[in-house]
CSV table of all heavy atoms in Angstrom, one decimal:
chain,number,residue,atom,x,y,z
G,781,THR,N,-7.0,38.5,37.7
G,781,THR,CA,-5.8,39.3,38.2
G,781,THR,C,-4.6,38.8,37.5
G,781,THR,O,-3.7,39.6,37.1
G,781,THR,CB,-5.7,39.1,39.7
G,781,THR,OG1,-6.9,39.5,40.4
G,781,THR,CG2,-4.5,39.9,40.2
G,782,ASP,N,-4.4,37.5,37.3
G,782,ASP,CA,-3.3,36.9,36.6
G,782,ASP,C,-3.3,37.4,35.2
G,782,ASP,O,-2.3,37.7,34.6
G,782,ASP,CB,-3.2,35.4,36.7
G,782,ASP,CG,-3.0,34.9,38.1
G,782,ASP,OD1,-2.4,35.7,38.9
G,782,ASP,OD2,-3.4,33.8,38.4
G,783,GLY,N,-4.5,37.4,34.6
G,783,GLY,CA,-4.6,37.9,33.2
G,783,GLY,C,-4.2,39.3,33.0
G,783,GLY,O,-3.6,39.7,32.0
G,784,GLU,N,-4.5,40.2,34.0
G,784,GLU,CA,-4.1,41.6,33.9
G,784,GLU,C,-2.6,41.7,34.0
G,784,GLU,O,-2.0,42.5,33.3
G,784,GLU,CB,-4.8,42.4,35.0
G,784,GLU,CG,-6.4,42.5,34.8
G,784,GLU,CD,-7.1,43.1,36.0
G,784,GLU,OE1,-6.3,43.5,36.9
G,784,GLU,OE2,-8.3,43.3,36.0
G,785,SER,N,-2.0,41.0,34.9
G,785,SER,CA,-0.6,41.0,35.0
G,785,SER,C,0.1,40.5,33.8
G,785,SER,O,1.2,41.0,33.4
G,785,SER,CB,-0.1,40.3,36.2
G,785,SER,OG,-0.4,38.9,36.1
G,786,ASP,N,-0.6,39.5,33.1
G,786,ASP,CA,0.0,39.0,31.9
G,786,ASP,C,-0.1,40.0,30.7
G,786,ASP,O,0.6,39.8,29.7
G,786,ASP,CB,-0.7,37.7,31.5
G,786,ASP,CG,-0.4,36.6,32.5
G,786,ASP,OD1,0.6,36.7,33.2
G,786,ASP,OD2,-1.2,35.7,32.6
G,787,ALA,N,-0.9,41.0,30.8
G,787,ALA,CA,-1.0,42.0,29.7
G,787,ALA,C,0.3,42.7,29.6
G,787,ALA,O,0.7,43.2,28.5
G,787,ALA,CB,-2.1,43.0,30.0
G,788,GLU,N,1.0,42.9,30.7
G,788,GLU,CA,2.3,43.6,30.7
G,788,GLU,C,3.5,42.6,30.3
G,788,GLU,O,4.5,43.0,29.8
G,788,GLU,CB,2.6,44.2,32.0
G,788,GLU,CG,1.5,45.2,32.4
G,788,GLU,CD,1.8,45.8,33.8
G,788,GLU,OE1,2.7,45.4,34.4
G,788,GLU,OE2,1.0,46.7,34.2
G,789,GLY,N,3.3,41.4,30.6
G,789,GLY,CA,4.4,40.4,30.3
G,789,GLY,C,3.9,39.0,30.6
G,789,GLY,O,2.8,38.8,31.0
G,790,THR,N,4.8,38.0,30.5
G,790,THR,CA,4.4,36.7,30.8
G,790,THR,C,4.4,36.5,32.3
G,790,THR,O,5.3,36.8,33.0
G,790,THR,CB,5.5,35.7,30.2
G,790,THR,OG1,5.5,36.0,28.8
G,790,THR,CG2,5.1,34.3,30.5
G,791,ALA,N,3.2,35.9,32.7
G,791,ALA,CA,3.1,35.7,34.2
G,791,ALA,C,3.8,34.4,34.6
G,791,ALA,O,3.7,33.4,33.9
G,791,ALA,CB,1.6,35.5,34.5
G,792,ALA,N,4.6,34.5,35.7
G,792,ALA,CA,5.3,33.4,36.2
G,792,ALA,C,4.7,33.1,37.6
G,792,ALA,O,4.9,33.9,38.5
G,792,ALA,CB,6.8,33.7,36.3
G,793,VAL,N,4.1,32.0,37.8
G,793,VAL,CA,3.5,31.7,39.0
G,793,VAL,C,3.9,30.3,39.4
G,793,VAL,O,3.7,29.3,38.8
G,793,VAL,CB,1.9,31.7,38.9
G,793,VAL,CG1,1.3,31.4,40.3
G,793,VAL,CG2,1.4,33.0,38.4
G,794,THR,N,4.6,30.2,40.5
G,794,THR,CA,5.0,28.9,41.1
G,794,THR,C,3.8,28.4,41.8
G,794,THR,O,3.4,29.0,42.8
G,794,THR,CB,6.2,29.1,42.0
G,794,THR,OG1,7.3,29.7,41.3
G,794,THR,CG2,6.7,27.7,42.5
G,795,ALA,N,3.2,27.3,41.3
G,795,ALA,CA,1.9,27.0,41.7
G,795,ALA,C,1.8,25.5,42.0
G,795,ALA,O,2.4,24.7,41.4
G,795,ALA,CB,0.9,27.4,40.7
Side-chain angles (χ1 to χ4, degrees):
T781 302
D782 292 336
E784 293 173 359
S785 62
D786 292 338
E788 300 176 357
T790 301
V793 182
T794 303

